[in-house]
């Protein structure tokens, strides 16, 4: 008699050419991910060859009940680390039946910015550092913390090892390998300053692919935490008090910043970002004011400052970039719950297209 695990792990290619496609989209909160699966006749490697689909937007907070159909357009394909074989995950964005992007579709506007000839010519690269917190399922308190109580103060937990300092490593490593399997350009992981908090990095990736990859990496992580019976939180300040918040530091470079004389281009880009500080903060994630306090490796939300190797700045430039006179810089303002389509495209828009 087959066990449930045997059936879950069936290799479909032994008996059929049919493929399962998991369609993924962003839900009504702008942060919740939704997905559903359908069968297609054979392997596909081009999202344009996949059929559009639809879902009940009234059940996701994205459409009224009397006109509830939302159409999802396949945009980026990844290998499915859960079903494996030829089965795939596909990141989609959402439209009305008339073909208009719905309000929570941030990809549509980002694609316009990244397809602008001036932006495309600069080949913007992104590396996004996604921090997150793992919570105990029934009490919504970080894993490894005593229920209703607190661990020892921060200091021993960052990049730590040991059963009394590192909590949830099996989830983190499963996610790391699953992302590599899927074809996501995940470049590393580490334990964070607050116990129960971790980080993974996606990139360098070019243009809109950085945001597609980050959303699918988030999807894979939440599926893994579902299996593990743990709750995933992207709250930018999950625990009040003397505990680090969670961000999504966004590293950025262009062809001009990576070329000779690039440090001067970086300084001009940072100056433009400072002029639009309020607009960026407004788009960089809900609840970010609880995180950007001027403490715990952040700059105050109301102030814009940059510096070399300064983790208390809004924008940090690395020592290597300063020394070589070219390279990249890090925008430390985005919260962990930011929309990567919004953040990556806004940085490109401000630094390349916007004229003060």
């Amino acid at each position: 008699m087959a066990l449930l695990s045997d059936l879950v792990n069936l290799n479909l290619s032994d008996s059929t050419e049919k493929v399962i496609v998991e369609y993924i989209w962003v839900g009504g909160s702008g942060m919740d991910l939704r997905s559903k699966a359908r069968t297609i006749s054979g392997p596909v490697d081009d999202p344009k060859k996949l059929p559009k689909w639809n879902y009940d937007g009234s059940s996701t907070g994205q459409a009224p009940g009397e006109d509830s159909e939302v159409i999802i357009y396949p945009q980026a394909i990844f290998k499915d680390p859960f079903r494996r074989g030829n089965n795939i995950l596909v990141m989609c964005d959402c439209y009305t039946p008339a073909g208009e992007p719905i309000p929570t579709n941030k990809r549509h506007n980002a694609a316009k910015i990244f397809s602008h000839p001036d932006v495309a010519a600069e080949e913007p690269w992104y590396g996004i550092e996604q921090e997150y917190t793992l919570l105990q399922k029934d009490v919504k308190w970080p894993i490894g913390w005593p229920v209703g109580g607190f661990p020892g103060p921060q200091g021993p937990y960052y990049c730590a090892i040991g059963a009394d300092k590192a909590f949830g490593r099996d989830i983190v490593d499963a996610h790391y390998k699953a992302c590599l399997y899927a074809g996501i350009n995940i470049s590393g992981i580490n334990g964070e300053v607050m116990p129960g908090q971790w980080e993974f990095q996606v990139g360098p990736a070019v243009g809109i692919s950085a945001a597609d990859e980050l959303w699918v990496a988030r999807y894979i992580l939440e599926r893994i935490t579902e299996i593990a019976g743990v709750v995933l939180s992207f709250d930018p300040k999950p625990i009040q008090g003397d505990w680090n918040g969670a961000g999504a530091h966004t590293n950025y470079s262009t062809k001009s910043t990576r070329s000779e004389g690039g440090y001067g281009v970086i300084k001009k880009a940072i100056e433009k970002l400072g002029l639009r500080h309020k607009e960026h903060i407004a788009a960089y994630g809900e609840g970010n004011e609880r995180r950007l306090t001027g403490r715990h490796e952040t700059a105050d939300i109301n102030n814009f400052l940059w510096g070399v190797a300064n983790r208390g700045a809004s924008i940090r430039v690395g020592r290597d970039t300063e020394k070589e006179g070219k390279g990249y810089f890090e925008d430390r303002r985005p919260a962990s719950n930011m929309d990567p389509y919004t953040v990556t495209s806004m940085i490109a828009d401000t630094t390349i297209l916007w004229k003060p």
Side-chain angles (χ1 to χ4, degrees):
M1 176 67 72
L3 299 173
L4 182 61
S5 59
D6 296 329
L7 299 173
V8 167
N9 293 316
L10 274 176
N11 185 350
L12 297 181
S13 58
D14 291 342
S15 59
T16 180
E17 291 185 357
K18 292 181 178 178
V19 168
I20 301 171
V21 183
E22 191 77 28
Y23 283 62
I24 304 166
W25 68 94
V26 180
S29 74
M31 191 61 206
D32 59 311
L33 284 162
R34 310 287 180 124
S35 74
K36 61 177 184 172
R38 69 184 295 172
T39 307
I40 60 172
S41 58
V44 171
D45 57 9
D46 181 353
K48 293 184 177 66
K49 294 179 181 177
L50 287 170
K52 294 173 185 175
W53 206 6
N54 65 78
Y55 66 89
D56 171 17
S58 69
S59 295
T60 63
Q62 292 170 295
E66 64 273 13
D67 186 16
S68 65
E69 194 167 281
V70 177
I71 313 301
I72 42 180
Y73 293 24
Q75 298 291 0
I77 289 174
F78 301 87
K79 292 172 67 178
D80 186 339
F82 303 101
R83 296 189 177 105
R84 288 169 285 190
N86 291 321
N87 305 301
I88 55 175
L89 309 174
V90 58
M91 190 65 204
C92 305
D93 60 352
C94 306
Y95 297 81
T96 67
E100 294 295 319
I102 66 172
T104 51
N105 180 354
K106 306 303 182 187
R107 191 186 193 281
H108 180 78
N109 186 62
K112 281 192 200 175
I113 292 170
F114 284 119
S115 63
H116 190 288
D118 293 351
V119 175
E122 282 289 353
E123 296 178 11
W125 292 2
Y126 297 90
I128 304 173
E129 306 170 29
Q130 176 68 70
E131 295 177 338
Y132 61 93
T133 309
L134 299 174
L135 305 177
Q136 300 170 54
K137 181 180 175 184
D138 296 325
V139 293
K140 302 292 176 69
W141 198 240
I143 63 170
W145 290 38
V147 175
F150 296 87
Q154 295 184 151
Y157 310 107
Y158 173 69
C159 295
I161 60 171
D164 58 342
K165 296 181 288 293
F167 312 114
R169 191 183 299 276
D170 52 346
I171 292 170
V172 175
D173 276 346
H175 175 247
Y176 197 172
K177 290 184 177 180
C179 284
L180 287 171
Y181 178 93
I184 291 167
N185 193 21
I186 185 170
S187 47
I189 55 96
N190 60 268
E192 268 304 330
V193 177
M194 189 183 87
Q197 191 179 84
W198 294 81
E199 174 184 300
F200 67 89
Q201 302 95 32
V202 167
V206 180
I208 204 164
S209 63
D212 286 333
E213 291 185 23
L214 189 76
W215 271 120
V216 175
R218 285 172 169 177
Y219 173 84
I220 291 171
L221 179 56
E222 191 150 19
R223 286 280 306 273
I224 290 171
T225 59
E226 174 191 323
I227 293 166
V230 168
V231 173
L232 173 63
S233 172
F234 290 111
D235 190 303
K237 186 72 173 179
I239 305 295
Q240 294 303 306
D242 195 16
W243 304 98
N244 273 36
H249 301 157
T250 302
N251 299 276
Y252 171 70
S253 71
T254 63
K255 185 180 282 188
S256 295
T257 72
R258 296 188 296 267
S259 302
E260 293 303 318
Y263 196 49
V265 180
I266 287 173
K267 286 180 177 178
K268 288 177 183 175
I270 293 172
E271 183 181 348
K272 292 171 80 174
L273 287 167
L275 293 173
R276 296 187 78 190
H277 177 62
K278 287 184 178 178
E279 293 93 327
H280 279 257
I281 287 294
Y284 274 15
E286 294 291 327
N288 211 9
E289 71 283 350
R290 293 183 281 117
R291 167 180 163 261
L292 296 180
T293 61
R295 301 183 64 218
H296 304 113
E297 301 180 69
T298 70
D300 186 276
I301 195 167
N302 297 307
N303 301 324
F304 180 88
L305 63 121
W306 74 278
V308 176
N310 183 358
R311 283 182 161 75
S314 311
I315 305 288
R316 180 184 68 87
V317 175
R319 290 280 182 211
D320 286 348
T321 296
E322 180 189 42
K323 182 180 178 182
E324 294 175 14
K326 60 184 178 180
Y328 72 97
F329 62 85
E330 174 191 45
D331 191 338
R332 297 179 60 80
R333 297 171 296 173
S336 50
N337 59 1
M338 62 81 157
D339 187 316
Y341 293 128
T342 298
V343 169
T344 57
S345 62
M346 196 172 191
I347 293 172
D349 182 49
T350 295
T351 59
I352 300 171
L353 299 179
W354 184 62
K355 308 299 182 192

